[in-house]
Amino acid sequence: MDFWTITGLLLQGFGITCLLFALTLLLAIPLGLALSFLSMSKFKFIKAPVKIFIWIIRGIPLMLFIFVIYYLPSLLADGNAGANIFNSIDLQMTIAAGSTELLWQGRFLAVLIAFVINYACYFSEIFRGGIESIPQGQYEAGYVLGLTKNQVFFKIVLKQVVKRIVPALSNEIITLVKDTALANAIAIPEIIHCAKMMASSQALIWPIFYTAAFYLLFVGLLTVLLGKVEKKLSYFKA
Amino acid sequence: MALLEVNHIEKHFGSTRVLEDIGFTLEKGEVVAIIGSSGSGKTTLLRCLNFLETPDQGQIILNDEVLFDAEDPATLDKKEVRKKRLHFGLVFQNFNLFPQYTALENVMLAKELLAKEKPDYKENRKEIHQQIEAQAKGLLCRMGLEDRMYNYPQQLSGGQQQRVSIARALAMDPDILCFDEPTSALDPELTGEVLKVIKELKDTGSTMIVVTHEMEFARHVADKIIFMADGIIEEVGTPEEVFEHPKSAKTCAFLQKSTEI
Ligand SMILES: Nc1ncnc2c1ncn2[C@@H]1O[C@H](COP(=O)(O)OP(=O)(O)OP(=O)(O)O)[C@@H](O)[C@H]1O
Ligand SMILES: [Mg+2]
């Protein structure tokens, strides 16, 4: 196999890496925001369970959590992990509609669920920290001017929160890029998985190292992008 | 008929009583200065008037309208409170300007959001916006900030920031403007410009309640002095009565201490 064939195959895997990254980000941010509000609730019976949940998710390795999501439902259903529920889900994904892909599409859902929940918990702690760091005076100044709670949050607080959390969020987002490699624990054909397959079937080791180029390029792009966001918010001090 | 009537206000935080049987009246155009030592409840009283705290007892009546009555929970309806608090403006000790907005935007924000809720906003959005902008610019000029309108708060001195926040409060046309130690966070050389603005507001007929430690200012600008001690109004009177002939021993002690240094 020549360089370009291998690049092409790895690109296919990288597509799945990117898909997992994008979907996780898209879903974990709103879920994280919801969790952060729940974890700041006045009501103890809401706040306490949410905090315990976040503690558990952040406390166990993501790899382990992927296994939990993947195997636990089947174990609970019939005590037999051999017939995995996720594998029987035939997701019609347009990005990969061949017969071999059908094998992983269901599992992809398991990985996605694990990633979204895991990252939502990390994000929620970042959001909470950001929201709690805004001085009470900002809220009060808004209320005194007759603003509603929603107006105060969206027109006054939110932008200040975003500015404060962009650095922490950037870190987490870049970590997410690399964490997608964990999906290969249940044989999702992301880029590292593809490279490993070549290693075993073609006795080619170098594609594994070659994957680094893809990650570095992607992370570099994100770094520039997130830097732009940070710069855009640098016109004010909060 | 008094513009503002405050009756028997009482406020607890947990088991500590912070305000006890507070009552006073305020005529239109009158300026009252509230003085008193730290922890005597001055800030809490202003916060009660602005619905940032809910008193446990008492009434707040403005222009014959009962804005708050502890006996009548209906006066705490959220929508109503939002409208009612616009009768009062509050200028904070540490300004609390919105950092992501320019001085002009700070002054315009609330008015614009309020205008957006009106049914005829969509058709007249341009005129309404221009009107609000003109009013805001006018206010900033009155505050002597004509060349600072497009600056962000962090680009302004403390005195300038405080003047922006006064303009911001005035933009909502409050019946009564409250100040909570408006100069306490300022360097001494900047207090003058803020006090001057407050004095000018008095000259144009604004009704104001000013919590202050500036005794000279209180003496010369206020029509009425309220001296608070330990959550009660210890003494009320004209500046002359309170400063020259204080009746209460606590007032004497306080005045002596605050003029000593
Ligand atoms: N949110 C709160 N919770 C509990 N206690 C409070 C709260 N706010 C104020 N207090 C207490 O109420 C008392 C009066 O406070 P307040 O801030 O009204 O005093 P002040 O006269 O404004 O003092 P200063 O001159 O220092 O500003 C103080 O003893 C204070 O500790
Ligand atoms: Mg105070």
Side-chain angles (χ1 to χ4, degrees):
Chain A
M1 283 214 282
D2 71 351
F3 176 77
W4 294 112
T5 323
I6 286 173
T7 304
L9 286 172
L10 287 183
L11 258 179
Q12 272 183 20
F14 192 59
I16 291 162
T17 297
C18 289
L19 183 72
L20 179 57
F21 168 82
L23 287 177
T24 301
L25 203 57
L26 205 72
L27 298 170
I29 285 180
L31 183 62
L33 199 61
L35 281 176
S36 74
F37 280 116
L38 292 177
S39 72
M40 290 184 287
S41 168
K42 278 186 289 216
F43 304 109
K44 236 188 165 157
F45 65 93
I46 296 177
K47 184 175 161 154
V50 170
K51 288 227 163 197
I52 291 173
F53 180 74
I54 292 173
W55 167 67
I56 292 172
I57 302 299
R58 295 209 311 167
I60 61 174
L62 178 52
M63 169 102 78
L64 177 56
F65 190 50
I66 293 170
F67 289 143
V68 169
I69 297 285
Y70 182 56
Y71 291 115
L72 202 60
S74 311
L75 279 172
L76 292 178
D78 60 0
N80 174 13
N84 194 292
I85 286 179
F86 284 104
N87 286 344
S88 58
I89 302 174
D90 177 12
L91 278 176
Q92 289 305 318
M93 288 197 186
T94 45
I95 50 109
S99 55
T100 48
E101 278 85 356
L102 284 181
L103 279 176
W104 63 268
Q105 281 176 4
R107 292 203 299 271
F108 185 79
L109 190 64
V111 166
L112 184 62
I113 291 172
F115 269 73
V116 168
I117 294 178
N118 181 80
Y119 272 86
C121 288
Y122 279 100
F123 288 159
S124 83
E125 284 296 280
I126 293 176
F127 295 151
R128 189 181 56 81
I131 292 171
E132 285 178 348
S133 74
I134 304 300
Q136 200 55 31
Q138 290 288 308
Y139 292 85
E140 291 179 350
Y143 293 144
V144 166
L145 292 167
L147 271 58
T148 61
K149 262 192 156 152
N150 275 336
Q151 288 173 333
V152 167
F153 184 76
F154 288 107
K155 298 285 175 182
I156 297 171
V157 176
L158 186 60
K159 202 166 195 181
Q160 298 180 44
V161 172
V162 171
K163 182 184 166 86
R164 287 181 189 209
I165 65 176
V166 163
L169 215 50
S170 299
N171 262 334
E172 217 51 62
I173 289 172
I174 283 166
T175 305
L176 169 60
V177 174
K178 295 170 291 176
D179 272 358
T180 54
L182 291 171
N184 103 65
I186 57 170
I188 303 295
E190 48 72 53
I191 185 166
I192 295 216
H193 188 80
C194 289
K196 265 171 56 185
M197 296 307 276
M198 285 176 215
S200 59
S201 66
Q202 318 270 330
L204 281 176
I205 297 296
W206 67 266
I208 290 189
F209 302 115
Y210 179 32
T211 60
F214 292 80
Y215 286 109
L216 286 172
L217 218 69
F218 193 33
V219 168
L221 198 76
L222 278 175
T223 307
V224 171
L225 222 71
L226 291 164
K228 281 217 163 115
V229 173
E230 210 167 318
K231 186 126 189 259
K232 200 149 186 218
L233 291 168
S234 67
Y235 74 91
F236 73 92
K237 215 158 121 189
Chain B
M1 182 60 229
L3 173 66
L4 173 71
E5 197 182 322
V6 174
N7 293 327
H8 310 297
I9 291 286
E10 196 171 308
K11 176 72 189 170
H12 298 253
F13 285 117
S15 58
T16 38
R17 182 152 57 190
V18 177
L19 294 177
E20 189 178 347
D21 197 19
I22 299 290
F24 64 92
T25 61
L26 194 57
E27 303 292 333
K28 197 166 163 32
E30 212 174 17
V31 176
V32 54
I34 302 181
I35 59 174
S37 51
S38 186
S40 55
K42 307 178 298 291
T43 297
T44 308
L45 176 57
L46 288 192
R47 290 172 60 85
C48 286
L49 293 177
N50 283 277
F51 293 87
L52 290 175
E53 304 285 357
T54 309
D56 303 319
Q57 291 296 327
Q59 291 175 315
I60 299 169
I61 301 165
L62 188 110
N63 263 335
D64 279 338
E65 184 195 351
V66 180
L67 296 188
F68 172 80
D69 186 346
E71 309 282 285
D72 180 6
T75 57
L76 281 176
D77 176 75
K78 270 199 183 125
K79 259 199 180 143
E80 290 296 310
V81 163
R82 211 187 135 206
K83 246 189 272 163
K84 286 188 283 194
R85 65 175 15 141
L86 289 180
H87 290 296
F88 296 90
L90 179 59
V91 172
F92 298 85
Q93 186 173 341
N94 52 355
F95 334 130
N96 289 332
L97 290 177
F98 308 131
Q100 72 267 45
Y101 294 119
T102 61
L104 185 61
E105 288 166 340
N106 262 279
V107 178
M108 293 172 61
L109 178 71
K111 200 100 197 218
E112 293 232 60
L113 290 175
L114 201 64
K116 270 186 196 161
E117 289 165 25
K118 300 233 167 83
D120 62 341
Y121 177 74
K122 278 221 171 91
E123 300 105 74
N124 312 315
R125 115 195 293 155
K126 241 196 175 147
E127 291 148 54
I128 293 176
H129 177 81
Q130 276 169 355
Q131 206 182 332
I132 292 173
E133 186 171 330
Q135 182 221 15
K137 284 183 170 167
L139 284 169
L140 286 168
C141 287
R142 259 175 83 186
M143 298 293 129
L145 293 165
E146 48 280 350
D147 49 2
R148 286 280 178 245
M149 291 191 206
Y150 300 102
N151 286 106
Y152 288 94
Q154 87 262 14
Q155 300 168 323
L156 301 173
S157 73
Q160 289 167 337
Q161 287 188 52
Q162 190 57 298
R163 284 182 282 149
V164 173
S165 91
I166 294 171
R168 181 177 70 176
L170 285 172
M172 304 311 285
D173 305 310
D175 294 304
I176 297 172
L177 189 52
C178 305
F179 295 81
D180 189 6
E181 301 190 30
T183 59
S184 289
L186 300 178
D187 293 336
E189 71 267 24
L190 298 178
T191 58
E193 62 188 54
V194 171
L195 295 179
K196 186 170 147 254
V197 160
I198 299 174
K199 190 167 178 315
E200 280 165 13
L201 287 176
K202 176 195 159 91
D203 296 337
T204 53
S206 295
T207 313
M208 295 185 280
I209 302 176
V210 188
V211 170
T212 185
H213 286 303
E214 301 283 336
M215 291 307 147
E216 279 311 298
F217 173 78
R219 185 195 291 245
H220 292 114
V221 176
D223 302 301
K224 188 150 91 183
I225 306 288
I226 291 178
F227 171 68
M228 286 182 67
D230 302 322
I232 62 168
I233 293 184
E234 182 75 19
E235 190 156 348
V236 190
T238 63
E240 169 152 329
E241 284 166 357
V242 175
F243 285 111
E244 311 298 338
H245 316 286
K247 290 192 217 70
S248 132
K250 275 188 189 168
T251 318
C252 285
F254 174 77
L255 289 175
Q256 209 153 41
K257 244 196 262 161
S258 53
T259 47
E260 236 166 37
I261 320 151

